[in-house]
Amino acid sequence: MLISGQAIGETAFDVVYLTTVITIGIIMILKSKGCKEYLLFGIMAVTLGCGDAFHLVPRALALCTTGLEDYTLWLGLGKWITSITMTILYILLYYVWRIRYNVKGKREITIAVYTLALIRIALCFFPQNQWLVADAPLTWAIYRNIPFALLGILIIVLFFISAKKNQDKEYRFMWLTIVLSFAFYIPVVLWADSVPAIGLLMMPKTCAYVWTVLIGFISMRKSLR
């Protein structure tokens, strides 16, 4: 069996990505020294890597063996799990923001975060998503990503304002990493089924998340020397 260049390149990229974020996450958890900010960041990185693995591992197996069409069920199941873990990631990132900038109260923001996250997760459970079929409806992909995008925008605004206000050089680009992740992700949701090449945008989207994780890791290394 001849393995295509796409299969080799994509699989290598995914292995490096998953190994990197999970390893960094574990290191942050183990070396956080009781600092809740970096402990949460480590949990967030592990959640990101493990969640994405549910989709990326079956995809790598499919590309390197009999093709995506023979792994429809596993790819769909992995995509569903990833959708939920990504939502949890933003909740964790919200608490990283609260701890880093010593935010007290702000109950309305907390309610907004949980409301958007719960709506997103609830929508992911609707059978109309048809996760386990090859041609899932675009309309439901849009529905479930509306609250997710709103949650992302909220986190972007919080980090942008707080980093600027506190002249936080270490986290000054945190908001940008999230902007980039959504900028690459939204076209995939809307057009990847009709134009498969657009799916390649998931790679720079992944790089944006690696940047997010590295911001926390580098900050921890400077703070806990």
Side-chain angles (χ1 to χ4, degrees), residues 7-114:
I8 295 171
E10 192 172 322
T11 300
F13 177 86
D14 291 341
V15 168
V16 171
Y17 158 62
L18 293 175
T19 302
T20 299
V21 296
I22 292 174
T23 300
I24 290 176
I26 292 172
I27 291 172
M28 293 186 75
I29 291 170
L30 295 177
K31 296 190 175 183
S32 58
K33 298 181 180 179
C35 178
K36 290 184 179 180
E37 176 189 340
Y38 299 125
L39 175 62
L40 274 179
F41 220 116
I43 294 171
M44 187 189 77
V46 173
T47 300
L48 171 65
C50 291
D52 279 357
F54 280 98
H55 178 67
L56 295 178
V57 171
R59 182 174 175 84
L61 289 172
L63 290 172
C64 294
T65 55
T66 56
L68 298 174
E69 61 278 0
D70 290 335
Y71 286 78
T72 300
L73 187 149
W74 294 109
L75 288 168
L77 183 61
K79 191 176 179 181
W80 173 63
I81 293 171
T82 300
S83 296
I84 294 172
T85 56
M86 285 302 300
T87 310
I88 295 171
L89 181 148
Y90 279 99
I91 295 175
L92 293 172
L93 194 54
Y94 167 67
Y95 281 101
V96 168
W97 169 78
R98 289 186 67 94
I99 294 169
R100 184 166 185 88
Y101 300 109
N102 195 30
V103 176
K104 305 297 182 183
K106 304 290 186 183
R107 186 167 176 266
E108 66 282 359
I109 299 178
T110 302
I111 291 173
V113 167
Y114 276 101

Side-chain angles (χ1 to χ4, degrees), residues 37-211:
E37 176 189 340
Y38 299 125
L39 175 62
L40 274 179
F41 220 116
I43 294 171
M44 187 189 77
V46 173
T47 300
L48 171 65
C50 291
D52 279 357
F54 280 98
H55 178 67
L56 295 178
V57 171
R59 182 174 175 84
L61 289 172
L63 290 172
C64 294
T65 55
T66 56
L68 298 174
E69 61 278 0
D70 290 335
Y71 286 78
T72 300
L73 187 149
W74 294 109
L75 288 168
L77 183 61
K79 191 176 179 181
W80 173 63
I81 293 171
T82 300
S83 296
I84 294 172
T85 56
M86 285 302 300
T87 310
I88 295 171
L89 181 148
Y90 279 99
I91 295 175
L92 293 172
L93 194 54
Y94 167 67
Y95 281 101
V96 168
W97 169 78
R98 289 186 67 94
I99 294 169
R100 184 166 185 88
Y101 300 109
N102 195 30
V103 176
K104 305 297 182 183
K106 304 290 186 183
R107 186 167 176 266
E108 66 282 359
I109 299 178
T110 302
I111 291 173
V113 167
Y114 276 101
T115 299
L116 291 170
L118 288 173
I119 292 173
R120 153 78 166 182
I121 291 172
L123 287 172
C124 288
F125 276 89
F126 275 68
Q128 289 90 337
N129 287 285
Q130 298 184 43
W131 293 106
L132 306 183
V133 301
D135 298 316
L138 174 61
T139 51
W140 274 86
I142 294 173
Y143 294 158
R144 66 177 179 263
N145 277 295
I146 289 174
F148 185 53
L150 292 174
L151 178 59
I153 291 170
L154 177 56
I155 301 300
I156 288 166
V157 171
L158 293 177
F159 272 101
F160 178 81
I161 293 174
S162 295
K164 187 173 182 180
K165 180 180 178 181
N166 292 275
Q167 297 183 334
D168 186 354
K169 292 183 178 180
E170 292 176 0
Y171 275 44
R172 67 187 184 277
F173 292 128
M174 182 66 77
W175 68 274
L176 181 58
T177 69
I178 304 169
V179 169
L180 290 174
S181 69
F182 275 98
F184 293 124
Y185 174 65
I186 291 173
V188 174
V189 172
L190 295 176
W191 301 301
D193 287 340
S194 56
V195 186
I198 290 178
L200 292 173
L201 290 175
M202 291 300 283
M203 296 178 77
K205 178 215 128 180
T206 298
C207 291
Y209 279 121
V210 173
W211 188 10

